Every structure is written in C-alpha cells, then in structure tokens.
C-alpha cells in the first residue's frame, strides 16, 4: 500500500491529510494551535478519532511525543541524532514497542519505520516537486497502517523542525 502525506490546502502545519496515491483520503490530522502541550488529533475518513498525539511546545532538544491510539495502545517517542555532531540523520525511538524511525535529510528527505528486530515496516521519501512537505510512504505492514500513518506524520514534522534555518 502506498500513502501520501501532505498539508491540507490553506494549512501550513496545523492540518494534514493522509491519502492513497489515487487521492482517497484515509486520515486527516488537526493540531490545536493554542493547546499546551501541542495536541494533534487524527481522524479516519468516517470522522472517528483513531489517535491523539502530544508534544511539549518547549521540546526542541528531544522532539518527544506521546501517542494514544483509540485501541488503547500508547507510544512514547524521543528523537536523538545518530552522530552527535551531525543533524542530518536522526533516530526516533518508539517505546515500549522497541520500534525506531530512522530519518535522513538531504536534497530529498526520507525515513524508515523499523521493528525492534530491524524489519522495515514502511519507507518514505519526500516529493520535492509538490507543494509543501509531501511524502510518499510505502507501507510494508498493512496490519499496522494506522500506527505507520501517525508515526509518519510525526517523522515528517521532526525532519521539518530539525532542518537548519535559512540564513
């Protein structure tokens, strides 16, 4: 299955859509701009909330997130850099599952979501020719599509927030 994550029209960072490459919207996410901690709610196509994730507004160092899924599963995410002197490769650890999201920033950014054993569940690549931070995500584990979609939204935001500011 292939997904596309993009900003909703007229929404720079507060609204996201996850759709199939054919354009069928599967999930939408909306961030409450005044919430503290920053709260993003993810709903499916029928309008049912499937997940909610939070991050502290002052958390620039670790990019930590907490996810609560409708199924009752929770995840805690924390970003670290693979090499402390370089910020182009980061690892987002997902606990208690033991998963990780490995991000790379270059001409086009990309990431992989891996199980505790290192098996790739999803891989994504930024599509630079499209408006905004658009990513195509190849889902290799269809049973975890909701978790993969939410982790992909967070990975996209971490990559964007870790990017150096233009001088």
């Amino acid at each position: 299955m292939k997904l596309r994550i993009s900003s909703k029209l007229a929404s720079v960072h507060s609204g996201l859509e996850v759709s199939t490459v054919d354009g069928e919207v599967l999930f939408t996410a909306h961030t409450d701009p005044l919430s503290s901690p920053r709260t993003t709610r993810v709903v499916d196509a029928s309008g049912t909330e499937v997940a909610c994730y939070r991050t502290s507004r002052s958390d620039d160092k670790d990019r930590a997130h907490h996810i609560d899924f409708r199924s009752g599963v929770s995840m805690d995410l924390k970003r670290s850099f693979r090499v402390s002197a370089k910020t182009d490769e980061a690892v987002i650890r997902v606990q208690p599952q033991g998963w990780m999201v490995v991000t790379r920033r270059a001409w086009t950014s990309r990431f992989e979501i891996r199980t505790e054993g290192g098996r790739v569940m999803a891989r994504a690549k930024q599509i630079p020719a499209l408006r905004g931070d658009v990513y195509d995500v190849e889902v290799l584990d269809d049973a975890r599509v909701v978790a993969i979609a939410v982790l992909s939204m967070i990975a996209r935001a971490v990559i964007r927030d870790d990017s150096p500011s233009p001088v």
Side-chain angles (χ1 to χ4, degrees):
M1 168 185 280
K2 218 171 205 183
L3 303 177
R4 177 160 288 165
I5 298 177
S6 59
S7 296
K8 290 181 76 172
L9 194 59
S11 173
V12 178
H13 298 303
S14 63
L16 293 175
E17 286 185 344
V18 178
S19 60
T20 64
V21 290
D22 298 330
E24 177 189 355
V25 176
L26 302 176
F27 305 104
T28 56
H30 295 281
T31 301
D32 179 357
L34 301 177
S35 59
S36 185
R38 185 174 296 127
T39 302
T40 301
R41 300 191 184 286
V42 181
V43 297
D44 63 15
S46 69
T48 303
E49 185 174 308
V50 295
C52 176
Y53 62 89
R54 295 170 184 83
T55 186
S56 170
R57 289 186 175 278
S58 61
D59 191 13
D60 288 336
K61 180 177 179 256
D62 297 322
R63 307 257 187 252
H65 297 79
H66 176 80
I67 308 170
D68 289 313
F69 289 94
R70 183 173 179 228
S71 64
V73 173
S74 292
M75 296 178 178
D76 288 301
L77 286 65
K78 186 175 180 182
R79 189 265 290 124
S80 61
F81 293 110
R82 287 189 120 171
V83 178
S84 60
K86 297 172 78 178
T87 61
D88 60 339
E89 288 188 5
V91 175
I92 303 167
R93 305 234 181 252
V94 181
Q95 298 301 331
Q97 289 73 10
W99 299 349
M100 70 166 121
V101 182
V102 180
T103 69
R104 291 179 185 83
R105 283 187 300 108
W107 291 105
T108 60
S109 298
R110 55 187 71 230
F111 62 86
E112 287 184 346
I113 302 172
R114 301 177 184 164
T115 65
E116 186 172 24
R119 182 177 60 83
V120 177
M121 293 188 290
R123 59 178 54 100
K125 181 179 178 185
Q126 184 180 23
I127 309 302
L130 298 177
R131 174 193 59 80
D133 273 343
V134 178
Y135 283 81
D136 278 349
V137 181
E138 180 184 3
V139 177
L140 303 173
D141 187 344
D142 289 346
R144 296 180 171 145
V145 71
V146 174
I148 288 170
V150 174
L151 290 173
S152 295
M153 290 178 205
I154 292 172
R156 173 189 175 273
V158 166
I159 290 170
R160 182 195 67 230
D161 292 345
D162 281 351
S163 295
S165 316
V167 179

